[in-house]
Amino acid sequence: MDNFEDFFTEAFETATLKGNLVTLKGIRENAPGAASAENIFATIENSRDFLAEHLPWIPETDIFDLKKRIRSWVLNERFGQGGCWLIFRNSPTDPEGDFAGSIMMDVNLRNRSATLSYWLAKQFTGQGLMTESVKLITKFAFERLKLNRLELLVSVHNGKSAAVATRCGFMEEGINRDYELINGKFVDHRRFSLLARDVY
């Protein structure tokens, strides 16, 4: 692996990752059914107030903006710069599962690192879905993609998201002051990281 960038670009894909509680599937343009932009948007709409508390892009998002975001993630995957997985809660009665949210990976190839971000619709919180999703992505990032570092940035007001990071073995490194403008206010974020050597 003399040239990591070449290796990574060839290896990177939003592969389907299956756990006990969830299945992660790469986002696609013009996908049908539960993975469609229309269904994703309907899920956001039903949890808009809940999601807007910590996600600055939610208040202004409409179906056209969402489709642009999907296109952007598809391009990021194509160029090995990152990807977006849709989170489906496994269902014994529906093989497709219930769409619950998404988890994203922004890659820094030079440093062999990536930043994760995620969201869940309100009705799917408190069920362990995001904890398992982060663990699936972590395993994929270190074992398949050979990344060295993952990080998460979590609003200081978002205790539930910080708890996910801790349950997944991430270590808190400090505070990024005024990191993000949310609902007209600058918000500090807690920075968490996990290294490959912490796990393997």
Side-chain angles (χ1 to χ4, degrees), residues 175-193:
I175 299 292
N176 285 21
R177 297 184 303 154
D178 283 3
Y179 179 78
E180 195 168 35
L181 185 62
I182 303 176
N183 300 321
K185 296 180 180 179
F186 288 105
V187 179
D188 294 350
H189 276 50
R190 299 163 68 182
R191 186 177 64 253
F192 293 85
S193 73

Side-chain angles (χ1 to χ4, degrees), residues 106-172:
D106 279 303
V107 176
N108 183 322
L109 274 178
R110 178 183 177 86
N111 295 319
R112 302 190 186 186
S113 66
T115 300
L116 304 181
S117 55
Y118 46 72
W119 62 269
L120 276 181
K122 186 175 183 179
Q123 67 267 34
F124 296 104
T125 60
Q127 302 172 36
L129 306 187
M130 190 55 74
T131 297
E132 186 174 73
S133 297
V134 172
K135 288 180 177 179
L136 287 170
I137 290 289
T138 296
K139 181 179 174 67
F140 177 75
F142 290 146
E143 293 187 1
R144 179 95 66 92
L145 303 179
K146 307 302 181 187
L147 292 176
N148 179 61
R149 172 186 167 92
L150 296 176
E151 69 175 24
L152 288 164
L153 288 150
V154 177
S155 163
V156 293
H157 306 299
N158 194 344
K160 290 182 179 180
S161 190
V164 169
T166 301
R167 282 195 296 271
C168 293
F170 284 69
M171 297 176 59
E172 186 167 357

